[in-house]
Amino acid sequence: MRALAGGPISRLPQLLEALVTVGSDHDLRPALDRIAETAAALTGARRAEVSTLDEDGDAPGDLITHGASPRAGQPGEALLEVPIQVQGELFGTLCVAGKDDGGRFGDADLHLVRVLATEAGIAMSNARMHAAARQRRRWIEGTASVTTALLAGPETRSTTSHALTVVAERGRELAEAATGAVLLPDEEGGMEIVAISTVLSDAVRDEAYRARIPPRSPVVHQVRAGLAVFSDDFGADPRSISPISRHYGPMMLLPLRSNGRVLGALALCRKPGEGRFSHTERTLATQFASQAAVALVLADRHRDRERLAVFEDRDRIARDLHDLVIQRLFATGMLLETARRKAQLPEVADGVGRAVDELDATIQEIRSAIIALQQGPAAAPGLRTRVMREADAATTALGSRPSVQFVGPIEARLDDEGAQELVATLAKALAGASASTEPVRVKIVVDALATLLDGRSAVRLTVSGVGAEEPTVWERPI
């Protein structure tokens, strides 16, 4: 009986209590703390240590100690170390050192430590499986959110540049990186950053936009061949010849590939000294980049279809305006013109004449609207559109909408500088007319077929109206 005193049987209740506690703890760090503490208590060791490997099993992970590190003891001190492994997979080691009685660790101590090491392996295996499941779910949800954002309706979808920024920002968040960037091929065969999301300074952001990866870079060759590039220390990697690499440590450069074609690359970079990307993270990030590339292609096609639908609708409206509305207005004008010639009273003839003039101005405005529709939604606002906008903006202040008439191909007769001068003159004239205390009926005429006194062709802007001062006239020779 004396041989069993203090043996494994007497320590069994404490061991079982520790195993129950560890098995019910869903947080890995407290569980490993408990194992180190229990290992020291059950073996009579002054110090205990649980050292883990990273997820890939080839680099140190966390280090949990109870008391001072066992490896810091004096030479010749008792030391007992066993591997932590489950089904042949090594997770780390459990080590105890320094017997309280100054003796050596026996077989009973070895058995107890092995039991605790097995429990530690189970806890670590479960924790990693749960973490991997949560990580995969997070990446899947992130990929879905990017696809949804890129394929969103026109009321929430932004430009292609913003779509690339969405990919960079979401990729950075999912990878827990400092910077996410999308690179596209440049004209010289290298690559340049076109969208970036970073937690670093604005100076680093600006430097990244100015930097480019030259065609001779091995990284470019690998990415354009559709292969991912991984580095544990991008700043010291001999493959990196970009000046911005000095700001980063672990890095992933993933091709954005769809249907065998490489559209660009997604770079995900952590700060120097931060943890390297694990095998699981690399796999999930590669899948994210592939799905993001498909989403970008689908988004472009989606936008193309919507633009085509808009163009077709605008063409239909333009045809209806030209074939139906203008014809009816023209027919109405002809009837009014006949009525004016037959009118007996001068005031009736004058009133009908003003109505005919208004119809003519309306026809000119509709024709301008037709031209604007045919320009397409992606075109920059033309001179006609800008003139119409100025007229619309002044309507409230004037008390009535100005009539606008265009004569000749004004878009082709004025360069950008001339168009800016014309619009500025118009805005000033309308502002002056708006200052009147009485409602003013303003007429705007833009004549691209005007002739100057010296015989030269010109574009002439005339802003006149009842209740206003002298007409404003602006001319530019062409």
Side-chain angles (χ1 to χ4, degrees):
M1 293 297 294
R2 285 194 301 268
L4 294 176
I9 294 179
S10 65
R11 290 176 279 182
L12 185 59
Q14 187 178 358
L15 175 63
L16 292 176
E17 181 184 357
L19 295 180
V20 170
T21 303
V22 170
S24 62
D25 200 331
H26 299 293
D27 193 349
L28 181 60
R29 183 57 185 254
L32 296 182
D33 284 335
R34 177 67 170 167
I35 285 175
E37 179 184 357
T38 303
L42 290 179
T43 61
R46 290 189 291 270
R47 297 179 295 279
E49 172 187 280
V50 177
S51 60
T52 68
L53 298 175
D54 67 358
E55 181 181 326
D56 295 336
D58 55 3
D62 294 331
L63 183 65
I64 296 94
T65 60
H66 177 73
S69 173
R71 306 178 195 282
Q74 300 297 324
E77 187 178 42
L79 183 70
L80 180 61
E81 184 174 16
V82 299
I84 299 175
Q85 57 185 4
V86 175
Q87 296 181 347
E89 182 178 1
L90 183 64
F91 290 92
T93 58
L94 173 58
C95 177
V96 293
K99 270 280 196 179
D100 287 335
D101 58 6
R104 312 298 294 178
F105 293 106
D107 290 341
D109 297 320
L110 177 60
H111 290 312
L112 290 170
V113 173
R114 281 176 175 171
V115 171
L116 289 171
T118 299
E119 184 64 23
I122 294 173
M124 294 172 67
S125 178
N126 290 338
R128 288 187 180 179
M129 285 191 296
H130 287 301
R134 289 193 301 269
Q135 194 176 47
R136 287 189 176 91
R137 183 173 63 249
R138 190 165 57 89
W139 279 90
I140 291 172
E141 292 173 351
T143 302
S145 68
V146 167
T147 303
T148 301
L150 296 183
L151 298 180
E155 68 278 1
T156 59
R157 190 194 62 241
S158 299
T159 63
T160 300
S161 176
H162 180 68
L164 298 176
T165 302
V166 169
V167 173
E169 182 172 359
R170 196 67 181 123
R172 178 187 64 78
E173 294 172 351
L174 291 171
E176 298 178 342
T179 297
V182 175
L183 298 88
L184 297 182
D186 59 20
E187 297 178 353
E188 299 178 4
M191 302 192 80
E192 60 182 349
I193 293 176
V194 296
I196 188 171
S197 172
T198 183
V199 298
L200 302 184
S201 65
D202 292 340
V204 174
R205 180 195 301 270
D206 295 340
E207 182 183 0
Y209 274 121
R210 293 192 301 268
R212 58 181 297 273
I213 305 178
R216 68 179 186 276
S217 169
V219 171
V220 170
H221 291 292
Q222 192 165 344
V223 170
R224 300 193 75 164
L227 302 175
V229 178
F230 303 104
S231 176
D232 291 340
D233 188 357
F234 193 45
D237 196 315
R239 296 173 298 176
S240 172
I241 58 177
S242 173
I244 64 171
S245 62
R246 70 183 188 278
H247 300 295
Y248 301 109
M251 182 276 300
M252 296 187 287
L253 190 61
L254 312 166
L256 295 171
R257 182 174 53 186
S258 177
N259 293 327
R261 184 168 65 95
V262 177
L263 308 176
L266 172 63
L268 301 172
C269 309
R270 287 175 175 166
K271 298 177 183 178
E274 291 187 339
R276 66 178 185 171
F277 292 106
S278 66
H279 176 75
T280 301
E281 288 176 321
R282 294 180 179 186
T283 301
L284 293 173
T286 301
Q287 295 172 352
F288 171 83
S290 298
Q291 292 299 318
V294 173
L296 287 171
V297 172
L298 292 177
D300 283 341
R301 293 178 180 176
H302 183 69
R303 282 189 287 269
D304 289 340
R305 286 195 298 269
E306 288 191 342
R307 282 195 292 264
L308 179 60
V310 170
F311 285 139
E312 291 175 347
D313 196 39
R314 293 167 73 94
D315 287 341
R316 179 187 59 78
I317 295 173
R319 287 194 303 270
D320 291 346
L321 287 174
H322 185 273
D323 296 340
L324 299 177
V325 178
I326 289 183
Q327 290 181 11
R328 289 179 179 177
L329 289 175
F330 185 76
T332 303
M334 295 293 292
L335 292 174
L336 290 174
E337 187 66 34
T338 301
R340 183 177 66 173
R341 289 196 298 267
K342 294 181 179 181
Q344 302 295 325
L345 298 176
E347 55 271 23
V348 174
D350 292 341
V352 174
R354 286 195 299 272
V356 171
D357 292 340
E358 288 293 332
L359 282 177
D360 289 340
T362 301
I363 290 173
Q364 290 293 333
E365 293 177 5
I366 292 176
R367 284 175 174 165
S368 299
I370 292 173
I371 293 174
L373 285 171
Q374 293 173 338
Q375 288 178 343
L383 180 56
R384 292 173 181 265
T385 301
R386 293 161 66 186
V387 170
M388 299 297 292
R389 287 178 179 175
E390 293 294 337
D392 291 338
T395 298
T396 301
L398 293 173
S400 62
R401 189 182 185 283
S403 66
V404 183
Q405 181 178 356
F406 298 101
V407 181
I410 63 169
E411 304 279 1
R413 294 296 184 99
L414 279 183
D415 55 17
D416 292 340
E417 182 182 355
Q420 291 178 0
E421 289 184 11
L422 186 149
V423 173
T425 304
L426 173 61
K428 184 177 180 180
L430 291 175
S434 301
S436 174
T437 56
E438 299 294 332
V440 180
R441 293 179 55 201
V442 174
K443 181 176 182 180
I444 302 169
V445 179
V446 183
D447 187 358
L449 304 178
T451 303
L452 300 178
L453 294 178
D454 58 7
R456 289 183 297 167
S457 299
V459 175
R460 178 182 296 128
L461 166 68
T462 306
V463 183
S464 60
V466 178
E469 299 180 353
E470 292 296 321
T472 297
V473 179
W474 174 90
E475 296 176 331
R476 184 181 181 91
I478 54 176

